[in-house]
Amino acid sequence: MELRVVVAPVFGTNCCVVSVGTDCVVVDAGAGVADAVGRLVDDAGLTPHAVLATHGHADHTWDAGALCARYDIPMRLHEADAYRLADPFGTLSPALESALGLHRDDYRAPDTIEPFTTPGGSATLTFGAVTLHALHAPGHTEGSTLYRVDDDVILTGDVLFAGSIGRTDLPGGSDQLMGETLRDVVRGLDPALAVVPGHGPATTVAHELGANPFLAAGGG
């Protein structure tokens, strides 16, 4: 397995290309990454099978439509966030919409959207030789999802950052659900996993369990 990260120019979203052999998926196609991801994929001789999102916010899905069209592949995300793709601005606060610096007329929704469910809280998603284990982790949004890649890496989107967690004050966010996710999902992760968050530097589960104020002993 190889994981390559392209940082989006809008909000510094970490877009990840996960590949096994020549098969790959793209996770969190933020605004402005389509050309760079396309070059990376084509130069490496990879075959994309899907674009996935850790959640449906615009800074994680803006270029999904362009990449899906380029490679004739579907968009995959948790069913609870699928509604956001039709109106990426309508599910954000006005202040954040302005901060993104994006324009409605430039948005292209993916042509094919294939939501997935997580019975019992998890699901295994297979794309050629690439297998991801999806863990439902609501709180930042209703459909926020962690993707575990093999037994080495977990992509945490805007649920868990180095030293912090995702905000819960946007439409669809919930302090209660975030607390449950941190307690029941994040604290149960293998400490050996490397963490690639939706924004910012990589970390490890072990480090966050010991140092993150929201996860360490006495945290939220």
Side-chain angles (χ1 to χ4, degrees):
M1 184 274 295
E2 288 191 64
L3 190 151
R4 303 166 174 91
V5 178
V6 177
V7 179
V10 176
F11 269 34
T13 303
N14 292 324
C15 175
C16 299
V17 179
V18 180
S19 62
V20 175
T22 59
D23 294 327
C24 76
V25 295
V26 179
V27 182
D28 284 350
V33 301
D35 288 343
V37 169
R39 286 194 299 271
L40 185 160
V41 165
D42 295 345
D43 289 349
L46 300 177
T47 300
H49 289 267
V51 176
L52 290 86
T54 56
H55 62 290
H57 281 160
D59 56 322
H60 292 254
T61 63
W62 191 264
D63 276 14
L67 286 168
C68 287
R70 178 170 180 161
Y71 296 105
D72 191 22
I73 54 178
M75 174 73 178
R76 306 294 309 275
L77 78 170
H78 195 280
E79 64 173 358
D81 265 18
Y83 76 97
R84 295 175 179 273
L85 297 177
D87 183 10
F89 285 127
T91 59
L92 291 174
S93 70
L96 186 55
E97 177 180 329
S98 176
L100 286 172
L102 302 173
H103 303 284
R104 291 176 182 269
D105 291 344
D106 296 330
Y107 176 67
R108 173 178 183 169
D111 294 328
T112 302
I113 301 169
E114 298 178 358
F116 59 81
T117 61
T118 48
S122 65
T124 298
L125 307 176
T126 301
F127 308 93
V130 180
T131 298
L132 301 180
H133 302 281
L135 304 174
H136 189 206
H140 180 63
T141 66
E142 308 94 321
S144 287
T145 302
L146 313 181
Y147 294 112
R148 182 166 57 81
V149 183
D150 290 337
D151 294 320
D152 302 314
V153 180
I154 192 153
L155 313 181
T156 58
D158 288 4
V159 173
L160 178 67
F161 302 123
S164 188
I165 61 171
R167 60 192 294 180
T168 58
D169 60 332
L170 297 173
S174 167
D175 285 335
Q176 177 182 339
L177 288 177
M178 180 63 86
E180 293 172 2
T181 284
L182 296 177
R183 182 191 67 221
D184 300 334
V185 181
V186 175
R187 283 182 173 143
L189 295 173
D190 182 349
L193 285 169
V195 172
V196 180
H199 307 268
T203 181
T204 66
V205 171
H207 180 78
E208 297 311 307
L209 290 175
N212 191 311
F214 297 94
L215 290 171

